[in-house]
Amino acid sequence: SKAHVVIVGGGFAGASAAKTIRKLDDSIKVTLIESNPRYLTCPGSNWVLGGLRDLESLGFGYDQLALHYGITVIHERVTAVDAEKKSLRLSNRQTINYDRLIMAPGIDFRWGDIEGYDAAVAEYIPHAWKAGQQTQTLASLVQAMPDNGTIAIVAPANPFRCPPGPYERASMLAYYCRQHKPKAKVLILDHKRGFSKQDLFVEGWKQHYGYGTHAALIEWQSIADNPVIALAAKSKTLQTDFGDQIKADVLNVIPAQKAGLIAQQAGLCDDSGWCPVRPVSGESTLRPDIHVIGDAAIQQPIPKSAFAATSEAKVCAFAVVDLLNERELSEPVWVNTCYSLVTADHGISVAMVYKLNEAGEISALAGAGGVTEHTDRQSLYLESRYAMGCYDSITRNTFS
Ligand code: FAD
């Protein structure tokens, strides 16, 4: 009988794994379980805030994966995993058995760090850290705020989904405000002491948004030693540990994160809230025959990005196919690339290749990556076009 691989989560990680397994060995039956019939990508969702793209254009369905690769797609929520019986329960009460399970549920939030901020409040004080209604809500709140309004973005501590994401978001909001509300301000309150591509962002902010001057459209402030501990939704006020009160017209609070709920329930997370895995296969160190890929997995120093998620998915798919065919595992290589837009025509990027070192840990390959090197106008313009190209190719590669 055919081996059955079940994949939970049809985001960049899960969809890529499903497709890759079927391409490598079409004798393996693959079932992909994803609650939503349509996936909205987080990549590109900051561009919606800048007015460069509409949310609908970031949507992808699963018909092509079913049609072209013979993947069985089920739109239900997985409610329980039984690692002993190797079976899953779905929200429609169906039970599904697997030979190997790949979990790719993405992230959930650590509600409770900030008093007064929870999933219900986030519907109108959005984090917008999963693309969807909240992305639109954030855009609408910014459009409706006073011309000299302040937007406060609270950026989370490491590790979190998309390290350059909050700073691209600040850039895109400033890009919008420069055209429509030039007296506005985007204030980033950061639970870190520094951030991804910091020099390149700051250089861009100086060029376009008066960064560092009294008329700056963007301000960045580290609150690593003075974290936000409470939020008053009615008055849109944040309170920090030292008792500072910060009031804004629009609050965008991005909470600290952990692996998606079903990974916690399945016993795949350690005390950090994320899932420890063997790098070579993505197999859980806590539960046999279950693999974890994408944002939910601990794959440091690889960042939690869509691009990295597809790379982890491919490494895992190769390993699963080898394991099911009782072959030796091959040596993995991972790649990550993250583009960010500072304006519509100013892009920056980071890229890296990773391999296992002698100690068996994932490590960045020296000389194989880096950040944007050429910062003349034409090069930055080209990078903004590569950003769009990268989006098109990664989504096409994953969903068709
Ligand atoms: P997800 O994309 O979150 O997919 C998980 C899926 O699992 C979801 O569809 C969910 O519905 C499903 N699921 C969860 N639990 C269950 C369950 N119990 N049953 C059934 N289904 C379930 N990355 C880049 O590379 N480039 C970028 O430019 C970029 N920009 C970003 C901008 C923003 C604002 C944000 C927030 C993120 C950005 N990212 C970017 C990061 C990227 O979105 C994530 O790293 C990526 O989505 C991770 O993929 P994943 O498959 O692990 O998780």
Side-chain angles (χ1 to χ4, degrees):
S1 71
K2 285 181 182 177
H4 187 203
V5 175
V6 174
I7 300 172
V8 177
F12 283 100
S16 294
K19 171 176 165 181
T20 308
I21 290 173
R22 290 289 298 173
K23 284 184 81 169
L24 291 171
D25 183 346
D26 64 9
S27 78
I28 298 172
K29 178 172 159 56
V30 173
T31 303
L32 179 63
I33 308 172
E34 161 61 53
S35 350
N36 300 312
R38 206 168 155 74
Y39 177 77
L40 284 177
T41 66
C42 285
S45 65
N46 286 329
W47 307 347
V48 173
L49 304 173
L52 305 181
R53 197 148 180 161
D54 65 87
L55 195 59
E56 260 315 296
S57 75
L58 306 178
F60 295 85
Y62 295 88
D63 294 356
Q64 298 199 45
L65 290 182
L67 193 67
H68 297 158
Y69 307 102
I71 297 163
T72 305
V73 182
I74 300 178
H75 292 300
E76 292 289 339
R77 195 164 50 83
V78 176
T79 55
V81 176
D82 188 331
E84 238 105 87
K85 292 198 182 125
K86 297 176 114 181
S87 73
L88 306 175
R89 285 279 277 182
L90 307 188
S91 40
N92 65 359
R93 305 191 163 211
Q94 197 184 340
T95 300
I96 295 192
N97 299 312
Y98 62 82
D99 295 301
R100 286 209 168 248
L101 176 63
I102 301 177
M103 298 286 284
I107 59 157
D108 260 298
F109 300 102
R110 290 177 183 276
W111 302 115
D113 288 4
I114 300 177
E115 200 194 318
Y117 194 51
D118 59 24
V121 176
E123 291 304 313
Y124 56 101
I125 299 194
H127 51 72
W129 219 241
K130 292 183 179 181
Q133 179 53 49
Q134 287 192 23
T135 313
Q136 208 60 67
T137 301
L138 181 57
S140 306
L141 289 170
V142 170
Q143 284 155 22
M145 78 174 187
D147 282 353
N148 62 352
T150 298
I151 306 162
I153 300 175
V154 178
N158 289 321
F160 68 106
R161 159 176 286 182
C162 198
Y167 317 95
E168 183 190 60
R169 173 167 294 175
S171 306
M172 285 291 97
L173 289 172
Y175 182 72
Y176 170 84
C177 290
R178 197 182 65 183
Q179 299 164 68
H180 304 283
K181 297 173 195 282
K183 288 183 187 141
K185 188 181 297 286
V186 182
L187 171 64
I188 309 165
L189 298 168
D190 205 330
H191 285 100
K192 296 177 292 303
R193 282 171 225 289
F195 58 89
S196 173
K197 294 184 274 196
Q198 185 162 0
D199 293 347
L200 289 163
F201 272 114
V202 164
E203 203 40 56
W205 294 345
K206 284 181 181 161
Q207 246 178 66
H208 304 290
Y209 306 125
Y211 187 76
T213 69
H214 71 278
L217 263 163
I218 297 181
E219 256 180 52
W220 179 82
Q221 197 181 317
S222 173
I223 51 164
D225 296 319
N226 183 20
V228 172
I229 56 163
L231 181 153
K234 249 193 189 152
S235 60
K236 289 181 243 166
T237 307
L238 300 165
Q239 195 194 314
T240 68
D241 197 22
F242 296 165
D244 298 335
Q245 307 261 345
I246 300 140
K247 199 173 152 52
D249 297 285
V250 177
L251 286 176
N252 173 215
V253 180
I254 306 163
Q257 295 155 30
K258 58 185 181 184
L261 184 63
I262 190 66
Q264 332 254 332
Q265 291 170 343
L268 295 163
C269 300
D270 65 16
D271 291 345
S272 73
W274 304 97
C275 305
V277 297
R278 282 183 241 290
V280 68
S281 59
E283 191 168 3
S284 167
T285 58
L286 303 175
R287 292 275 184 275
D289 304 316
I290 304 183
H291 302 249
V292 188
I293 52 173
D295 284 359
I298 301 173
Q299 298 268 24
Q300 273 153 346
I302 304 176
K304 297 188 186 303
S305 79
F307 201 112
T310 65
S311 192
E312 292 164 18
K314 286 168 191 167
V315 166
C316 176
F318 272 82
V320 164
V321 170
D322 284 342
L323 286 164
L324 290 172
N325 286 293
E326 292 172 359
R327 291 193 299 245
E328 212 176 296
L329 300 187
S330 41
E331 197 188 319
V333 180
W334 298 266
V335 186
N336 179 54
T337 307
C338 281
Y339 285 91
S340 305
L341 293 184
V342 175
T343 71
D345 298 321
H346 179 144
I348 58 178
S349 62
V350 57
M352 193 52 74
V353 179
Y354 303 85
K355 292 186 90 169
L356 293 179
N357 64 17
E358 277 163 17
E361 300 153 338
I362 303 173
S363 70
L365 202 64
V371 297
T372 298
E373 209 175 296
H374 301 288
T375 53
D376 58 286
R377 231 177 106 192
Q378 178 63 12
S379 300
L380 296 170
Y381 171 79
L382 283 174
E383 290 233 33
S384 72
R385 270 37 195 177
Y386 300 155
M388 314 279 175
C390 187
Y391 179 86
D392 289 342
S393 53
I394 191 179
T395 50
R396 202 172 307 146
N397 200 268
T398 303
F399 295 103
S400 59

